[in-house]
Amino acid sequence: MKDDKANVELTIFRLIEFYEQGKLDVRLNKKSRLFLDEMGISYKRMVREALMVLSKSQYFRGPSAVHHQESNHNLRGYEFLVALYKEQLYVKFYVSTRGAELRSLHPSEKSPDQTFTKFK
């Protein structure tokens, strides 16, 4: 459990560092793009605000393998549930040693299970 907490804290640190260095690539899925259009907020603003509030208590799942990119064994998926804009947003990042990708940023579709509370 202690190693899990340290891993999540390191991942959050790296995500923010990659963002500041311009190494956070945004490749939002259709559901996320539609949500941003409905909100009338740019993805740049929402990404910045989501990263500002990101904490280990919002960690949901991960690290998990990225199935559609088997050739990159260093790429891992991390999922968070972030309270932002009066919504509980599902946020999914893919993180590697060289950078990160934001793939999902939309309202959560399901209530979290017991694993979500493990760092609270």
Side-chain angles (χ1 to χ4, degrees):
M1 179 80 101
K2 188 174 184 178
D3 289 342
D4 289 343
K5 282 185 181 183
N7 185 32
V8 171
E9 287 175 343
L10 178 60
T11 298
I12 292 169
F13 175 79
R14 290 176 67 211
L15 284 168
I16 293 168
E17 185 176 56
F18 287 145
Y19 173 78
E20 291 172 349
Q21 294 173 353
K23 295 180 182 177
L24 176 63
D25 193 14
V26 178
R27 297 182 183 192
L28 295 175
N29 60 22
K30 183 178 179 179
K31 188 183 305 182
S32 299
R33 290 189 311 269
L34 289 172
F35 172 66
L36 287 171
D37 287 346
E38 286 175 17
M39 293 290 292
I41 297 174
S42 74
Y43 79 86
K44 289 181 180 182
R45 176 181 165 192
M46 193 171 284
V47 169
R48 183 180 63 249
E49 291 177 1
L51 284 170
M52 287 185 343
V53 299
L54 199 61
S55 72
K56 70 178 184 243
S57 66
Q58 297 164 325
Y59 168 72
F60 181 43
R61 281 190 296 233
S64 58
V66 178
H67 302 293
H68 65 277
Q69 294 186 8
E70 288 86 6
S71 62
N72 189 342
H73 300 288
N74 294 324
L75 197 60
R76 295 286 179 248
Y78 289 85
E79 300 169 60
F80 296 86
L81 296 176
V82 178
L84 196 61
Y85 306 116
K86 299 181 182 178
E87 300 263 3
Q88 184 167 322
L89 301 181
Y90 169 80
V91 184
K92 184 172 188 175
F93 294 98
Y94 294 156
V95 182
S96 76
T97 55
R98 291 177 281 184
E101 296 175 5
L102 174 63
R103 288 296 181 113
S104 295
L105 183 65
H106 55 75
S108 176
E109 297 168 327
K110 298 179 183 177
S111 297
D113 59 20
Q114 293 298 326
T115 59
F116 181 66
T117 61
K118 69 181 178 181
F119 290 157
K120 292 187 178 203

